[in-house]
Amino acid sequence: MVDCAGCAAKLGQRALNDAVQGLFEGVEYDPRVLVGFGTLDDAGVFLLNESTALVQTLDFFPPVVDDPYMFGQIAAANALSDVYAMGGTPLTALNITCFPSSLHPSVLNAILRGGLDQCAAAGVSVLGGHTVDDPVIKFGLSVTGIVDPNHVWTNSGARVGDALLLSKALGVGIVTTGIKRGLAKDDVQGIAIDSMRTLNRGARDILATKCIHACTDVTGFSFLGHLYQMMRASNTVARVSSANVPLLAGALELSKHGCVPGGTQRNKDYTGPHVHVAADLDEALINLMYDPQSSGGLLAALDHNEAKAALAQMKAIGLDASIVGTVVEVGQGSIIVE
Ligand code: CO
Ligand code: CO
Ligand code: CO
């Protein structure tokens, strides 16, 4: 529930998460709580009846791009993604907005319109929201959906032999840093922005026709960070084939030029001790695997044959998806990168 890419503030998003998480230790949950705070899953799940459970999540962050309308689209795609990552169908949403009253209200209007349009595309009704006067713009949504309680996709079900399928290319953190520094070319920017505002609905609908053992979305903690959470929760070890990791156009070149956001090093510090990297791999490529992703793709563990079928279907709808690795053995959640 707490994996927002944009909130990597001075303390580090993770330090804040740890502080909040501590509050929930030892909390006794109602037995209808199927997924609660403690398991680092994307959203909470609450059982309503035999066939339906409620999925709830909340995500908001400061602007990742200059265009307010596109920022609204990206923030909405990101917030909706946590419901898709649980295998759920989002139904309703509420806006959460911080906006300085000193700025022209047309900017606020554009952000909210971007969010509304993306929710409409997802078939989600925005029921309302709340706006606070604040010096730093932030926008996101609280999203409510439903899921079959017998098919909730958590982090913890990956099995030895599973393929790991990723539905979007990596590198939006590095490209948005390149945009801020004036280094990213227009076409590189456009591709990254399109990736961020792409809903994970299409990927979820394809995965929903397969038997998914574990699923999450790749966001602020990076590809390797979220994969580590999945491997740790599943008590398994993953082998990642770096040659198969999909990268956004231009991202590797920007990474080679040292265009790396601060969150990358924090992700490396946290997840790095659990990752064994082949000695000959390029540091610029490794940095892309630790790159914080605002509104990244779904990462699923499933049988190889099913993964191949899902990959073909994802490519057919224009997703830059790839089978990035395999679950190789039982273990305590480490990752081998080759
Ligand atoms: Co999130
Ligand atoms: Co998530
Ligand atoms: Co199943």
Side-chain angles (χ1 to χ4, degrees):
M1 273 176 282
V2 277
D3 54 2
C4 326
C7 301
K10 283 172 204 144
L11 259 180
Q13 180 70 43
R14 202 174 313 261
L16 302 178
N17 291 350
D18 287 348
V20 175
Q21 193 104 22
L23 288 174
F24 286 79
E25 267 163 32
V27 165
E28 284 218 16
Y29 278 116
D30 184 309
R32 290 170 294 178
V33 175
L34 303 183
V35 178
F37 202 88
T39 55
L40 299 173
D41 271 294
D42 301 289
V45 181
F46 186 88
L47 186 67
L48 292 178
N49 58 49
E50 268 176 34
S51 60
T52 310
L54 203 62
V55 188
Q56 290 190 292
T57 185
L58 186 164
D59 224 327
F60 68 131
F61 50 46
V64 290
V65 293
D66 283 340
D67 184 292
Y69 177 78
M70 287 178 185
F71 167 54
Q73 288 183 303
I74 292 165
N78 175 65
L80 293 165
S81 171
D82 280 325
V83 175
Y84 294 129
M86 302 303 285
T89 304
L91 296 176
T92 63
L94 300 167
N95 290 326
I96 302 145
T97 317
C98 300
F99 193 82
S101 52
S102 56
L103 268 184
H104 199 278
S106 64
V107 178
L108 174 61
N109 194 283
I111 293 171
L112 295 177
R113 213 158 25 82
L116 272 177
D117 284 354
Q118 215 57 343
C119 285
V124 169
S125 303
V126 178
L127 304 181
H130 193 73
T131 303
V132 170
D133 186 0
D134 190 270
V136 181
I137 295 176
K138 297 171 205 82
F139 174 65
L141 303 160
S142 168
V143 185
T144 300
I146 51 170
V147 66
D148 175 348
N150 299 308
H151 285 94
V152 178
W153 303 343
T154 65
N155 274 332
S156 61
R159 301 176 198 170
V160 173
D162 278 354
L164 296 163
L165 175 62
L166 177 64
S167 74
K168 282 188 189 179
L170 303 179
V172 297
I174 280 170
V175 173
T176 49
T177 303
I179 296 172
K180 279 180 206 141
R181 296 186 192 169
L183 297 170
K185 295 185 192 113
D186 283 352
D187 54 334
V188 169
Q189 293 185 30
I191 291 168
I193 289 169
D194 281 347
S195 174
M196 287 188 280
R197 53 186 178 169
T198 296
L199 293 171
N200 279 332
R201 181 191 200 179
R204 188 220 79 127
D205 287 352
I206 289 165
L207 293 176
T209 66
K210 317 288 182 247
C211 184
I212 301 305
H213 301 154
C215 187
T216 190
D217 59 345
V218 174
T219 52
F221 293 163
S222 77
F223 165 61
L224 289 177
H226 289 280
L227 177 59
Y228 167 64
Q229 287 179 347
M230 182 189 283
M231 291 302 105
R232 195 179 63 174
S234 303
N235 292 310
T236 47
V237 177
R239 181 182 294 140
V240 170
S241 165
S242 59
N244 292 338
V245 172
L247 303 177
L248 286 173
L252 186 60
E253 205 189 330
L254 286 166
S255 181
K256 281 182 176 158
H257 284 95
C259 200
V260 174
T264 304
Q265 190 58 48
R266 284 192 289 273
N267 285 335
K268 232 180 202 179
D269 292 345
Y270 185 84
T271 307
H274 312 283
V275 180
H276 310 277
V277 179
D280 57 338
L281 288 185
D282 184 356
E283 190 70 16
L285 176 60
I286 301 299
N287 281 342
L288 277 157
M289 293 188 228
Y290 285 113
D291 186 46
Q293 303 300 287
S294 305
S295 190
L298 298 185
L299 174 65
L302 67 170
D303 285 346
H304 260 279
N305 286 335
E306 293 218 295
K308 276 186 209 154
L311 174 63
Q313 290 171 287
M314 285 182 185
K315 288 196 162 166
I317 62 165
L319 294 176
D320 197 352
S322 180
I323 294 172
V324 293
T326 308
V327 181
V328 286
E329 59 188 29
V330 171
Q332 300 204 321
S334 54
I335 302 170
I336 302 155
V337 183
E338 293 178 340

